[in-house]
Amino acid sequence: MPNDSATGVAMRDARQQLFDAAERVLLRGGPNALTSRAVTTEAGCAKGVLHRHFADFDAFLAELVQDRIARIEAQADALRASTGTVADNLTAALTDLFTPLAVAIVGLVTFRDDLRARLRETRPTGVPLLTEAAAMIASYLATERDRGRLAPDAVRKVVTTVMTSTLRPPPS
């Protein structure tokens, strides 16, 4: 096991520990608080550990977002295989999707121009995480429509309603 910590104690999965630390810092302090120093301090490792695993801090953040996107894609597979009611499945999926962390990551992408530019290299359209969330819901609803559990026009109506509701600012 590599020795990546500031204390000389081996780290089991440095990348995951750094991702977990970044998520805690982001939730606690927002995008402004998310620095390489804050992440490595939270993870309990030397700053060089981050740069050993990632080219730079924006590469680290891009991989953090990509990791979250991969989780959504895994959720989509599980959702399409769900056997519960459409309403229960959809409620659970939306609750799982729009956690405080997911909302904070969308804010992070919006806040950091270099991160957004890096993500555009592989995801040229849409807001990362929101685009995948919409695709997950649309795919699930299409599956349910194909099973005969939803009306043919339900997918368009539900996805439009869900996405406009989540993107609309809260009332003052």
Side-chain angles (χ1 to χ4, degrees), residues 40-128:
T40 55
T41 298
E42 181 75 21
C45 65
K47 191 173 176 189
V49 172
L50 190 142
H51 296 289
R52 185 175 308 127
H53 294 278
F54 303 94
D56 57 35
F57 193 58
D58 282 315
F60 166 74
L61 294 175
E63 288 205 34
L64 173 67
V65 174
Q66 297 288 6
D67 180 69
R68 281 306 194 170
I69 289 170
R71 291 180 190 187
I72 289 174
E73 291 166 351
Q75 278 179 278
D77 292 340
L79 181 60
R80 284 188 301 274
S82 296
T83 58
T85 69
V86 174
D88 287 347
N89 291 342
L90 195 54
T91 299
L94 291 171
T95 301
D96 289 346
L97 278 172
F98 295 106
T99 64
L101 179 59
V103 172
I105 289 175
V106 169
L108 174 67
V109 170
T110 304
F111 180 78
R112 291 186 67 104
D113 294 336
D114 291 341
L115 172 59
R116 201 170 44 258
R118 191 166 297 213
L119 291 168
R120 288 274 175 252
E121 293 171 7
T122 56
R123 298 183 181 288
T125 61
V127 177

Coordinates of all heavy atoms in Angstrom, one line a residue, residues 40-128:
T40 N -6.6 18.6 0.9 CA -5.6 17.7 1.5 C -5.6 17.8 3.0 O -5.3 16.7 3.7 CB -4.2 18.0 0.9 OG1 -3.9 19.4 1.1 CG2 -4.2 17.6 -0.6
T41 N -5.8 18.9 3.6 CA -5.9 19.0 5.0 C -7.1 18.2 5.5 O -6.9 17.4 6.5 CB -6.1 20.5 5.4 OG1 -4.9 21.2 5.0 CG2 -6.3 20.7 6.9
E42 N -8.2 18.3 4.9 CA -9.4 17.5 5.3 C -9.1 16.0 5.2 O -9.6 15.2 6.0 CB -10.6 17.9 4.4 CG -11.9 17.2 4.7 CD -12.6 17.6 6.0 OE1 -12.3 18.8 6.5 OE2 -13.3 16.8 6.6
A43 N -8.4 15.6 4.1 CA -8.0 14.2 3.9 C -6.9 13.7 4.8 O -6.7 12.5 4.9 CB -7.6 14.0 2.4
G44 N -6.2 14.7 5.5 CA -5.1 14.3 6.4 C -3.9 13.8 5.6 O -3.2 12.9 6.1
C45 N -3.6 14.4 4.5 CA -2.4 14.0 3.7 C -1.7 15.3 3.2 O -2.2 16.4 3.3 CB -2.9 13.2 2.5 SG -3.9 14.0 1.3
A46 N -0.5 15.1 2.7 CA 0.3 16.1 2.2 C -0.3 16.7 0.9 O -0.9 15.9 0.1 CB 1.7 15.6 1.9
K47 N -0.1 17.9 0.6 CA -0.6 18.5 -0.6 C -0.1 17.8 -1.9 O -0.8 17.7 -2.9 CB -0.3 20.0 -0.7 CG -1.0 20.8 -1.7 CD -0.7 22.3 -1.6 CE -1.4 23.0 -2.8 NZ -1.1 24.4 -2.8
G48 N 1.1 17.3 -1.8 CA 1.7 16.6 -3.0 C 0.9 15.4 -3.4 O 1.0 14.9 -4.5
V49 N 0.2 14.8 -2.4 CA -0.6 13.6 -2.7 C -1.6 13.9 -3.8 O -1.8 13.1 -4.8 CB -1.3 13.0 -1.5 CG1 -2.3 11.9 -1.8 CG2 -0.3 12.6 -0.4
L50 N -2.3 15.0 -3.7 CA -3.2 15.4 -4.8 C -2.6 15.5 -6.1 O -3.0 14.9 -7.1 CB -3.9 16.7 -4.4 CG -5.1 17.0 -5.3 CD1 -6.2 17.7 -4.4 CD2 -4.7 18.0 -6.4
H51 N -1.4 16.1 -6.1 CA -0.7 16.3 -7.4 C 0.0 15.0 -7.9 O 0.4 14.9 -9.1 CB 0.3 17.5 -7.3 CG -0.4 18.7 -7.1 ND1 -1.2 19.3 -8.0 CD2 -0.6 19.5 -5.9 CE1 -1.8 20.4 -7.5 NE2 -1.4 20.5 -6.2
R52 N 0.2 14.0 -7.1 CA 0.7 12.7 -7.5 C -0.4 12.0 -8.3 O -0.1 11.2 -9.2 CB 1.1 11.9 -6.3 CG 1.8 10.6 -6.7 CD 2.3 9.8 -5.5 NE 3.2 10.7 -4.6 CZ 3.0 10.8 -3.3 NH1 2.1 10.2 -2.7 NH2 3.8 11.6 -2.6
H53 N -1.6 12.2 -7.9 CA -2.7 11.5 -8.6 C -3.4 12.2 -9.7 O -4.2 11.6 -10.5 CB -3.7 11.0 -7.5 CG -3.2 10.0 -6.5 ND1 -3.1 8.7 -6.8 CD2 -2.6 10.2 -5.3 CE1 -2.5 8.1 -5.8 NE2 -2.2 9.0 -4.9
F54 N -3.3 13.6 -9.7 CA -4.0 14.4 -10.7 C -3.0 15.5 -11.2 O -2.2 16.0 -10.5 CB -5.2 15.1 -10.0 CG -6.2 14.1 -9.4 CD1 -6.0 13.8 -8.0 CD2 -7.2 13.5 -10.1 CE1 -6.9 12.9 -7.4 CE2 -8.0 12.6 -9.5 CZ -7.9 12.3 -8.2
A55 N -3.2 15.8 -12.5 CA -2.3 16.8 -13.1 C -2.3 18.1 -12.4 O -1.3 18.8 -12.3 CB -2.7 16.9 -14.6
D56 N -3.5 18.6 -12.0 CA -3.7 19.9 -11.3 C -5.0 19.8 -10.6 O -5.7 18.8 -10.7 CB -3.6 21.1 -12.3 CG -4.5 21.0 -13.4 OD1 -5.7 20.6 -13.3 OD2 -4.2 21.5 -14.5
F57 N -5.3 20.9 -9.9 CA -6.6 20.9 -9.1 C -7.8 20.8 -10.0 O -8.8 20.2 -9.6 CB -6.6 22.1 -8.2 CG -7.6 22.1 -7.1 CD1 -7.6 21.0 -6.2 CD2 -8.6 23.0 -7.0 CE1 -8.6 20.9 -5.2 CE2 -9.6 22.9 -6.0 CZ -9.6 21.9 -5.1
D58 N -7.8 21.5 -11.1 CA -9.0 21.4 -12.0 C -9.2 20.0 -12.6 O -10.3 19.5 -12.8 CB -9.0 22.5 -13.1 CG -9.4 23.8 -12.5 OD1 -10.4 23.9 -11.8 OD2 -8.7 24.8 -12.8
A59 N -8.1 19.3 -12.8 CA -8.2 17.9 -13.2 C -8.8 17.1 -12.1 O -9.6 16.2 -12.4 CB -6.8 17.4 -13.6
F60 N -8.4 17.3 -10.9 CA -9.0 16.7 -9.7 C -10.5 16.9 -9.7 O -11.3 16.0 -9.5 CB -8.3 17.1 -8.4 CG -9.0 16.7 -7.2 CD1 -9.0 15.4 -6.7 CD2 -9.7 17.7 -6.5 CE1 -9.7 15.1 -5.6 CE2 -10.4 17.4 -5.3 CZ -10.4 16.1 -4.9
L61 N -10.9 18.2 -9.8 CA -12.3 18.5 -9.7 C -13.1 17.9 -10.9 O -14.2 17.5 -10.7 CB -12.5 20.1 -9.7 CG -11.9 20.8 -8.4 CD1 -12.0 22.3 -8.6 CD2 -12.6 20.3 -7.2
A62 N -12.5 17.9 -12.0 CA -13.2 17.3 -13.2 C -13.4 15.8 -12.9 O -14.5 15.3 -13.2 CB -12.4 17.5 -14.5
E63 N -12.4 15.1 -12.4 CA -12.6 13.7 -12.1 C -13.6 13.5 -11.0 O -14.4 12.5 -11.0 CB -11.3 13.1 -11.8 CG -10.4 12.9 -13.0 CD -9.4 11.8 -13.0 OE1 -9.7 10.8 -12.3 OE2 -8.3 12.0 -13.6
L64 N -13.7 14.4 -10.0 CA -14.7 14.4 -9.0 C -16.1 14.4 -9.6 O -17.0 13.6 -9.3 CB -14.5 15.5 -8.0 CG -15.6 15.7 -6.9 CD1 -15.6 14.5 -6.0 CD2 -15.4 17.0 -6.1
V65 N -16.3 15.4 -10.5 CA -17.6 15.5 -11.2 C -17.9 14.3 -12.1 O -19.0 13.7 -12.0 CB -17.6 16.8 -12.1 CG1 -18.9 16.9 -12.9 CG2 -17.5 18.0 -11.2
Q66 N -16.8 13.8 -12.8 CA -17.0 12.6 -13.6 C -17.4 11.4 -12.7 O -18.2 10.5 -13.1 CB -15.7 12.2 -14.4 CG -15.3 13.3 -15.4 CD -16.2 13.4 -16.6 OE1 -17.3 12.7 -16.7 NE2 -15.9 14.2 -17.5
D67 N -16.8 11.3 -11.5 CA -17.2 10.2 -10.6 C -18.6 10.3 -10.2 O -19.3 9.3 -10.1 CB -16.3 10.3 -9.3 CG -16.6 9.2 -8.3 OD1 -16.3 8.1 -8.6 OD2 -17.1 9.6 -7.2
R68 N -19.1 11.5 -9.9 CA -20.5 11.7 -9.6 C -21.4 11.3 -10.8 O -22.5 10.7 -10.6 CB -20.8 13.1 -9.2 CG -20.4 13.4 -7.8 CD -21.1 12.4 -7.0 NE -21.0 12.8 -5.6 CZ -21.7 12.1 -4.7 NH1 -22.5 11.1 -5.0 NH2 -21.7 12.5 -3.4
I69 N -21.0 11.7 -12.0 CA -21.8 11.3 -13.2 C -21.8 9.8 -13.4 O -22.9 9.3 -13.7 CB -21.2 12.0 -14.5 CG1 -21.4 13.5 -14.4 CG2 -21.7 11.4 -15.7 CD1 -20.7 14.3 -15.4
A70 N -20.7 9.1 -13.1 CA -20.7 7.7 -13.2 C -21.7 7.1 -12.2 O -22.4 6.1 -12.5 CB -19.3 7.1 -12.9
R71 N -21.8 7.7 -11.0 CA -22.8 7.2 -10.1 C -24.2 7.4 -10.6 O -25.1 6.5 -10.3 CB -22.6 7.9 -8.7 CG -21.4 7.6 -8.0 CD -21.2 8.3 -6.7 NE -19.9 8.2 -6.1 CZ -19.6 8.6 -4.9 NH1 -20.5 9.2 -4.2 NH2 -18.4 8.5 -4.5
I72 N -24.5 8.5 -11.2 CA -25.8 8.7 -11.8 C -26.1 7.6 -12.9 O -27.2 7.1 -13.0 CB -26.0 10.1 -12.4 CG1 -26.0 11.1 -11.3 CG2 -27.2 10.2 -13.3 CD1 -26.0 12.5 -11.7
E73 N -25.1 7.3 -13.7 CA -25.3 6.3 -14.8 C -25.6 4.9 -14.1 O -26.4 4.2 -14.7 CB -24.1 6.3 -15.7 CG -24.0 7.6 -16.5 CD -22.7 7.9 -17.2 OE1 -21.7 7.2 -17.0 OE2 -22.7 8.9 -18.0
A74 N -24.9 4.6 -13.0 CA -25.2 3.4 -12.3 C -26.6 3.4 -11.7 O -27.3 2.4 -11.8 CB -24.1 3.1 -11.2
Q75 N -27.0 4.5 -11.2 CA -28.4 4.7 -10.7 C -29.4 4.4 -11.8 O -30.4 3.9 -11.5 CB -28.6 6.1 -10.1 CG -28.1 6.3 -8.7 CD -28.3 7.7 -8.3 OE1 -27.6 8.6 -8.6 NE2 -29.4 7.9 -7.5
A76 N -29.1 4.9 -13.0 CA -30.0 4.8 -14.1 C -30.2 3.3 -14.4 O -31.4 2.9 -14.6 CB -29.5 5.5 -15.3
D77 N -29.2 2.5 -14.4 CA -29.3 1.1 -14.7 C -30.2 0.5 -13.6 O -31.1 -0.3 -13.9 CB -27.9 0.4 -14.7 CG -27.1 0.9 -15.9 OD1 -27.7 1.4 -16.9 OD2 -25.9 0.7 -15.8
A78 N -30.0 0.8 -12.4 CA -30.8 0.2 -11.3 C -32.2 0.7 -11.3 O -33.1 -0.1 -11.1 CB -30.1 0.6 -9.9
L79 N -32.4 1.9 -11.7 CA -33.8 2.4 -11.8 C -34.6 1.7 -12.9 O -35.7 1.4 -12.6 CB -33.7 4.0 -12.0 CG -35.1 4.7 -12.1 CD1 -35.9 4.5 -10.8 CD2 -34.8 6.2 -12.4
R80 N -34.0 1.5 -14.0 CA -34.7 0.9 -15.1 C -35.0 -0.6 -14.7 O -36.0 -1.1 -15.3 CB -33.9 0.9 -16.4 CG -33.9 2.3 -17.1 CD -33.2 2.2 -18.5 NE -31.8 1.8 -18.4 CZ -30.8 2.6 -18.2 NH1 -31.0 3.9 -18.0 NH2 -29.6 2.2 -18.2
A81 N -34.3 -1.2 -13.8 CA -34.6 -2.5 -13.4 C -35.5 -2.6 -12.2 O -35.9 -3.7 -11.8 CB -33.2 -3.2 -13.0
S82 N -35.9 -1.5 -11.7 CA -36.8 -1.4 -10.5 C -38.1 -2.0 -10.8 O -38.6 -1.9 -11.9 CB -37.0 0.0 -10.1 OG -35.8 0.6 -9.6
T83 N -38.7 -2.6 -9.8 CA -40.0 -3.3 -9.9 C -41.1 -2.6 -9.2 O -42.3 -3.0 -9.2 CB -40.0 -4.8 -9.5 OG1 -39.5 -4.8 -8.1 CG2 -39.0 -5.5 -10.4
G84 N -40.8 -1.5 -8.4 CA -41.8 -0.8 -7.6 C -42.7 0.0 -8.5 O -42.7 -0.1 -9.8
T85 N -43.6 0.8 -7.9 CA -44.5 1.6 -8.7 C -43.7 2.7 -9.4 O -42.6 3.1 -8.9 CB -45.6 2.2 -7.8 OG1 -45.0 3.2 -7.0 CG2 -46.4 1.2 -7.1
V86 N -44.2 3.2 -10.4 CA -43.6 4.3 -11.1 C -43.4 5.5 -10.2 O -42.3 6.1 -10.1 CB -44.3 4.7 -12.4 CG1 -43.7 6.0 -13.1 CG2 -44.4 3.6 -13.4
A87 N -44.4 5.8 -9.5 CA -44.4 7.0 -8.6 C -43.3 6.8 -7.5 O -42.5 7.7 -7.2 CB -45.7 7.2 -7.9
D88 N -43.3 5.6 -6.9 CA -42.3 5.3 -5.8 C -40.9 5.3 -6.4 O -40.0 5.9 -5.8 CB -42.6 4.0 -5.2 CG -43.8 4.0 -4.2 OD1 -44.3 5.1 -3.9 OD2 -44.3 2.9 -3.8
N89 N -40.7 4.7 -7.6 CA -39.4 4.7 -8.2 C -38.9 6.1 -8.5 O -37.7 6.4 -8.3 CB -39.4 3.8 -9.4 CG -39.6 2.3 -9.1 OD1 -39.4 1.9 -8.0 ND2 -40.0 1.6 -10.2
L90 N -39.8 6.9 -9.1 CA -39.4 8.2 -9.5 C -39.1 9.1 -8.3 O -38.2 9.8 -8.3 CB -40.5 8.8 -10.3 CG -40.2 10.1 -11.1 CD1 -39.0 9.9 -12.0 CD2 -41.4 10.5 -12.0
T91 N -39.9 9.0 -7.2 CA -39.7 9.7 -6.0 C -38.3 9.4 -5.4 O -37.6 10.3 -5.0 CB -40.8 9.4 -5.0 OG1 -42.1 9.9 -5.5 CG2 -40.6 10.2 -3.7
A92 N -38.0 8.1 -5.3 CA -36.8 7.7 -4.8 C -35.6 8.1 -5.6 O -34.6 8.6 -5.1 CB -36.7 6.1 -4.6
A93 N -35.7 8.1 -6.9 CA -34.7 8.5 -7.8 C -34.4 10.0 -7.7 O -33.2 10.4 -7.6 CB -35.0 8.2 -9.3
L94 N -35.5 10.8 -7.6 CA -35.3 12.2 -7.5 C -34.7 12.6 -6.2 O -33.8 13.5 -6.1 CB -36.6 13.0 -7.7 CG -37.1 12.9 -9.2 CD1 -38.5 13.5 -9.3 CD2 -36.2 13.7 -10.1
T95 N -35.1 11.9 -5.1 CA -34.5 12.2 -3.8 C -33.0 11.8 -3.8 O -32.2 12.6 -3.2 CB -35.3 11.3 -2.7 OG1 -36.7 11.7 -2.8 CG2 -34.7 11.5 -1.4
D96 N -32.7 10.7 -4.4 CA -31.3 10.3 -4.5 C -30.4 11.3 -5.4 O -29.3 11.5 -5.1 CB -31.1 8.9 -5.0 CG -31.6 7.8 -4.0 OD1 -31.8 8.2 -2.8 OD2 -31.8 6.7 -4.5
L97 N -31.1 11.8 -6.4 CA -30.4 12.6 -7.3 C -30.0 14.0 -6.8 O -28.9 14.5 -6.9 CB -31.2 12.9 -8.6 CG -31.1 11.8 -9.7 CD1 -32.2 12.1 -10.8 CD2 -29.7 11.7 -10.3
F98 N -31.0 14.6 -6.2 CA -30.9 16.0 -5.8 C -30.5 16.2 -4.3 O -31.2 16.9 -3.5 CB -32.1 16.8 -6.2 CG -32.3 16.9 -7.7 CD1 -33.2 16.1 -8.3 CD2 -31.4 17.6 -8.4 CE1 -33.3 16.1 -9.7 CE2 -31.5 17.7 -9.8 CZ -32.4 16.9 -10.5
T99 N -29.4 15.5 -3.9 CA -28.9 15.7 -2.5 C -28.2 17.0 -2.4 O -27.9 17.7 -3.4 CB -27.9 14.6 -2.2 OG1 -26.8 14.8 -3.1 CG2 -28.5 13.2 -2.4
P100 N -28.0 17.5 -1.2 CA -27.3 18.7 -1.0 C -25.9 18.7 -1.7 O -25.4 19.7 -2.3 CB -27.1 18.9 0.5 CG -28.3 18.2 1.0 CD -28.5 17.0 0.1
L101 N -25.2 17.5 -1.7 CA -23.9 17.4 -2.4 C -24.1 17.6 -3.9 O -23.3 18.3 -4.5 CB -23.3 16.1 -2.1 CG -21.9 15.9 -2.8 CD1 -20.9 16.9 -2.3 CD2 -21.4 14.5 -2.4
A102 N -25.1 17.0 -4.5 CA -25.2 17.1 -6.0 C -25.5 18.6 -6.3 O -24.9 19.1 -7.3 CB -26.4 16.2 -6.5
V103 N -26.3 19.2 -5.6 CA -26.6 20.6 -5.8 C -25.3 21.5 -5.6 O -25.1 22.4 -6.4 CB -27.8 21.1 -4.9 CG1 -28.0 22.6 -5.0 CG2 -29.1 20.4 -5.2
A104 N -24.5 21.1 -4.6 CA -23.3 21.9 -4.4 C -22.3 21.6 -5.6 O -21.6 22.6 -6.0 CB -22.6 21.4 -3.1
I105 N -22.3 20.4 -6.1 CA -21.4 20.2 -7.3 C -21.8 20.9 -8.5 O -21.0 21.5 -9.2 CB -21.3 18.7 -7.5 CG1 -20.5 18.0 -6.4 CG2 -20.6 18.4 -8.9 CD1 -20.3 16.5 -6.4
V106 N -23.1 21.0 -8.7 CA -23.6 21.9 -9.8 C -23.2 23.3 -9.6 O -22.7 24.0 -10.6 CB -25.1 21.7 -10.0 CG1 -25.7 22.8 -11.0 CG2 -25.5 20.3 -10.4
G107 N -23.3 23.8 -8.4 CA -22.8 25.1 -8.1 C -21.3 25.3 -8.3 O -20.9 26.3 -8.8
L108 N -20.5 24.3 -8.0 CA -19.1 24.3 -8.2 C -18.8 24.4 -9.7 O -17.9 25.2 -10.1 CB -18.5 23.0 -7.6 CG -17.0 22.8 -7.9 CD1 -16.1 23.9 -7.2 CD2 -16.6 21.4 -7.5
V109 N -19.5 23.6 -10.5 CA -19.3 23.7 -12.0 C -19.6 25.1 -12.5 O -18.9 25.6 -13.3 CB -20.1 22.6 -12.7 CG1 -20.1 22.8 -14.2 CG2 -19.6 21.2 -12.3
T110 N -20.6 25.6 -12.0 CA -21.0 27.0 -12.4 C -20.0 28.0 -12.0 O -19.7 29.0 -12.7 CB -22.4 27.3 -11.8 OG1 -23.3 26.3 -12.2 CG2 -22.9 28.7 -12.3
F111 N -19.5 27.9 -10.8 CA -18.5 28.8 -10.1 C -17.2 28.8 -10.8 O -16.5 29.9 -10.9 CB -18.4 28.4 -8.7 CG -17.5 29.3 -7.9 CD1 -17.9 30.5 -7.4 CD2 -16.3 28.8 -7.5 CE1 -17.1 31.3 -6.7 CE2 -15.4 29.6 -6.7 CZ -15.8 30.9 -6.3
R112 N -16.7 27.7 -11.2 CA -15.3 27.6 -11.7 C -15.2 27.5 -13.2 O -15.5 26.4 -13.8 CB -14.6 26.4 -11.1 CG -14.4 26.5 -9.6 CD -13.6 25.4 -9.0 NE -12.2 25.4 -9.5 CZ -11.1 25.8 -8.9 NH1 -11.3 26.2 -7.6 NH2 -9.9 25.7 -9.4
D113 N -14.8 28.5 -13.9 CA -14.7 28.6 -15.3 C -13.8 27.5 -15.9 O -14.1 26.9 -16.9 CB -14.2 30.0 -15.8 CG -15.2 31.1 -15.5 OD1 -16.4 30.8 -15.3 OD2 -14.8 32.2 -15.4
D114 N -12.6 27.3 -15.3 CA -11.6 26.3 -15.8 C -12.2 24.9 -15.7 O -11.9 24.1 -16.6 CB -10.3 26.4 -15.0 CG -9.5 27.7 -15.4 OD1 -9.9 28.4 -16.4 OD2 -8.6 28.1 -14.6
L115 N -12.9 24.6 -14.6 CA -13.5 23.3 -14.5 C -14.6 23.1 -15.5 O -14.6 22.1 -16.2 CB -14.1 23.2 -13.1 CG -15.0 21.9 -12.8 CD1 -14.2 20.7 -13.0 CD2 -15.6 22.0 -11.4
R116 N -15.4 24.1 -15.7 CA -16.4 24.0 -16.7 C -15.8 23.8 -18.1 O -16.3 23.0 -18.9 CB -17.3 25.3 -16.7 CG -18.7 25.1 -17.3 CD -19.6 26.3 -17.0 NE -19.0 27.6 -17.2 CZ -18.6 28.4 -16.2 NH1 -18.7 28.0 -15.0 NH2 -18.1 29.6 -16.5
A117 N -14.8 24.5 -18.4 CA -14.1 24.4 -19.7 C -13.5 23.0 -19.9 O -13.6 22.3 -20.9 CB -13.0 25.4 -19.9
R118 N -12.9 22.4 -18.8 CA -12.4 21.1 -18.9 C -13.5 20.1 -19.1 O -13.3 19.1 -19.9 CB -11.6 20.8 -17.6 CG -10.8 19.5 -17.7 CD -9.8 19.4 -16.6 NE -8.9 20.5 -16.7 CZ -7.6 20.4 -16.4 NH1 -7.1 19.3 -15.9 NH2 -6.8 21.4 -16.4
L119 N -14.6 20.2 -18.4 CA -15.7 19.3 -18.6 C -16.3 19.4 -20.0 O -16.8 18.4 -20.5 CB -16.8 19.5 -17.5 CG -16.4 19.2 -16.1 CD1 -17.4 19.7 -15.1 CD2 -16.2 17.7 -15.9
R120 N -16.3 20.5 -20.6 CA -16.8 20.7 -21.9 C -16.0 19.9 -23.0 O -16.6 19.6 -24.0 CB -16.8 22.2 -22.3 CG -17.8 23.0 -21.6 CD -19.1 23.0 -22.4 NE -20.1 23.7 -21.6 CZ -21.1 23.1 -21.0 NH1 -21.3 21.8 -21.0 NH2 -22.0 23.8 -20.3
E121 N -14.8 19.5 -22.6 CA -14.0 18.7 -23.6 C -14.6 17.4 -23.8 O -14.5 16.8 -24.9 CB -12.6 18.5 -23.0 CG -11.8 19.8 -23.0 CD -10.5 19.7 -22.2 OE1 -10.1 18.6 -21.9 OE2 -9.8 20.7 -22.1
T122 N -15.3 16.8 -22.8 CA -15.9 15.5 -22.9 C -17.4 15.6 -22.9 O -18.1 14.6 -23.3 CB -15.5 14.5 -21.8 OG1 -15.7 15.2 -20.5 CG2 -14.0 14.3 -21.9
R123 N -18.0 16.7 -22.4 CA -19.5 16.8 -22.3 C -19.8 18.2 -22.8 O -20.0 19.1 -22.0 CB -19.9 16.6 -20.8 CG -19.6 15.3 -20.3 CD -20.1 15.0 -18.9 NE -19.8 13.7 -18.5 CZ -20.3 12.6 -18.8 NH1 -21.2 12.6 -19.7 NH2 -19.9 11.4 -18.3
P124 N -19.9 18.3 -24.2 CA -20.0 19.7 -24.7 C -21.3 20.4 -24.5 O -21.4 21.6 -24.7 CB -19.8 19.4 -26.2 CG -20.0 18.0 -26.4 CD -19.8 17.3 -25.1
T125 N -22.4 19.7 -24.1 CA -23.7 20.4 -23.9 C -24.2 20.1 -22.5 O -23.9 19.1 -21.9 CB -24.7 19.9 -24.9 OG1 -24.9 18.5 -24.8 CG2 -24.2 20.2 -26.4
G126 N -25.0 21.1 -22.1 CA -25.7 20.9 -20.8 C -24.9 21.2 -19.6 O -23.7 21.4 -19.7
V127 N -25.5 21.1 -18.5 CA -24.9 21.3 -17.2 C -24.6 19.9 -16.6 O -25.5 19.1 -16.4 CB -25.8 22.1 -16.2 CG1 -25.1 22.2 -14.8 CG2 -26.1 23.5 -16.7
P128 N -23.3 19.6 -16.4 CA -23.0 18.3 -15.9 C -23.7 18.0 -14.6 O -24.0 18.9 -13.8 CB -21.5 18.4 -15.6 CG -21.0 19.4 -16.6 CD -22.1 20.4 -16.7

